[in-house]
Amino acid sequence: MTAPLASAPALAARHPALDIRNVSKTFLVQGRPIEALAGITLTVEAGAFVSVVGASGCGKSTLLRLILGLDRDYSGEIRLDDRLVDGPGADRAIVFQEHRLLPWLTVEANVGAALLHSGLDKPARRRAVAEHLELVGLEAFAKAYPAQLSGGMAQRVAIARALANRPRFLLLDEPLGALDALTRLRLQEELKRIVTHEGATAILVTHDVDEAVYLGHRIVVLHPRPGRIAAVLNVPEVARRDRSSPQFVALRDQVLELLGVVHAPAERGVGAGAETAA
C-alpha cells in the first residue's frame, strides 16, 4: 500500500523531510532469503511525529536502520530533504530501548561524547551539554554516573545525548519499552515536549498502541512477513491531548483491530489496548 503522510498542522516544506520510495529489504538466513520489508512507500513532512506499530518481526527496527543509513543493501530509495541516504550522518540520531550510556563517564560526559566531532569548540560544547541536560530536567545530575540514576533518568540522558547535535531526524526504537508503567507515562509527556522544543522530525517504533496514538501525528501500521504498510492513520489533536477522549479510544481500537487484536465490547474501556499481539 502506498501511504503518503500529509503534513502535521502548520507544517509545510517544499520537499518532504523523509521520502521512502518502494523500499524492500531481504536478509539471508542460513543461505535462505527472508524478505523483511516489501514495497514500503512513505513520506513524512518536517516536524512531524510518526508512530510505527506492528507485531514483532514486521521490520520496524529494520526500517529505522535503513533510514539511519546503517544498512544500504536494499532496493528502492530513501531520501532525506531530497538527498539520497548513502550512510549515517549527523542529521540523524537514534535512541534505543536500552540507554547504552558509558558507565565510566558522568552524565555530562556521556552527552558531551556526542559532540566530540561536531566542530564546536569546548565552550560551545559545554553550553550545548548544559542546555540539553536542562531540557530533559537533569542539570542537577550532571556529575552523576549512570549507576546512580534510575532507569527513567538514564533514558533521559540518552535522549539528551541524541539531541545534543541538534539532528533534523530523531529515530526512536522503543525508547520507553523497558520502563515501569508510571515512568513510561511521564516520559511520554517529556518526549513530546522535547521533540516539539527541538523541532525535530521524529519516527517512533513501538509495540504500545496507546503510546503510538498519544505521541504521533500519524500512525503507520505494519503487517509482517514481509513487513508492509497496512494503513496510515491521522491522529486527531484531541487524542494527543486526552487519553480518555472518545477519539483516542476509537483510534486505539482501530489500530488494535488492524493488528488482529479484537476486544469484546465489554473490554473496550479506556485502559484496554496497552498491549498488542507483539
Side-chain angles (χ1 to χ4, degrees):
M1 173 180 175
T2 299
L5 290 183
S7 62
L11 299 173
R14 186 170 182 178
H15 298 289
L18 171 64
D19 189 1
I20 302 173
R21 304 178 183 178
N22 197 32
V23 165
S24 298
K25 169 66 180 176
T26 299
F27 292 99
L28 281 178
V29 179
Q30 295 182 333
R32 297 174 51 227
I34 303 294
E35 196 173 15
L37 295 171
I40 301 294
T41 295
L42 190 68
T43 61
V44 180
E45 299 300 334
F49 199 130
V50 175
S51 301
V52 181
V53 297
S56 293
C58 71
K60 302 185 298 299
S61 295
T62 296
L63 182 60
L64 287 191
R65 286 178 56 84
L66 300 185
I67 297 170
L68 196 60
L70 294 176
D71 187 344
R72 288 177 281 172
D73 182 19
Y74 62 91
S75 63
E77 286 189 352
I78 299 176
R79 292 181 174 271
L80 300 174
D81 295 327
D82 209 36
R83 291 177 291 103
L84 192 65
V85 170
D86 58 4
D91 58 346
R92 282 150 285 156
I94 190 165
V95 180
F96 297 99
Q97 184 171 348
E98 304 85 14
H99 56 73
R100 302 192 181 186
L101 300 180
L102 300 175
W104 57 87
L105 295 182
T106 63
V107 163
E108 64 182 0
N110 266 285
V111 176
L115 297 168
L116 292 177
H117 303 289
S118 65
L120 299 175
D121 58 25
K122 285 186 179 181
R125 293 203 300 268
R126 284 196 295 268
R127 287 194 299 272
V129 169
E131 288 170 7
H132 284 88
L133 287 180
E134 182 178 2
L135 181 65
V136 299
L138 289 176
E139 61 271 31
F141 293 86
K143 302 297 184 183
Y145 287 88
Q148 297 171 311
L149 305 177
S150 69
M153 292 166 71
Q155 201 64 339
R156 288 190 194 195
V157 178
I159 293 169
R161 179 180 58 189
L163 291 171
N165 262 320
R166 299 194 182 279
R168 291 264 288 107
F169 302 90
L170 181 63
L171 308 179
L172 302 155
D173 194 357
E174 299 202 57
L176 311 181
L179 304 176
D180 65 85
L182 290 178
T183 301
R184 186 168 188 156
L185 290 174
R186 293 190 187 101
L187 280 192
Q188 287 171 5
E189 297 285 354
E190 289 296 294
L191 189 56
K192 187 186 292 188
R193 175 186 64 82
I194 289 165
V195 169
T196 300
H197 180 277
E198 293 290 285
T201 301
I203 312 293
L204 167 73
V205 159
T206 181
H207 285 95
D208 188 322
V209 174
D210 284 49
E211 183 170 271
V213 174
Y214 191 66
L215 292 178
H217 294 113
R218 306 288 186 271
I219 300 174
V220 178
V221 181
L222 294 185
H223 278 177
R225 301 181 185 88
R228 61 201 186 280
I229 294 177
V232 178
L233 306 173
N234 296 331
V235 181
E237 278 303 308
V238 65
R240 299 187 79 234
R241 296 194 305 269
D242 183 0
R243 300 173 195 263
S244 64
S245 67
Q247 294 90 337
F248 181 99
V249 174
L251 183 55
R252 182 202 61 206
D253 287 357
Q254 183 182 359
V255 174
L256 286 169
E257 288 176 5
L258 285 167
L259 294 172
V261 180
V262 180
H263 293 281
E267 295 177 321
R268 299 176 90 146
V270 171
E275 298 181 353
T276 71

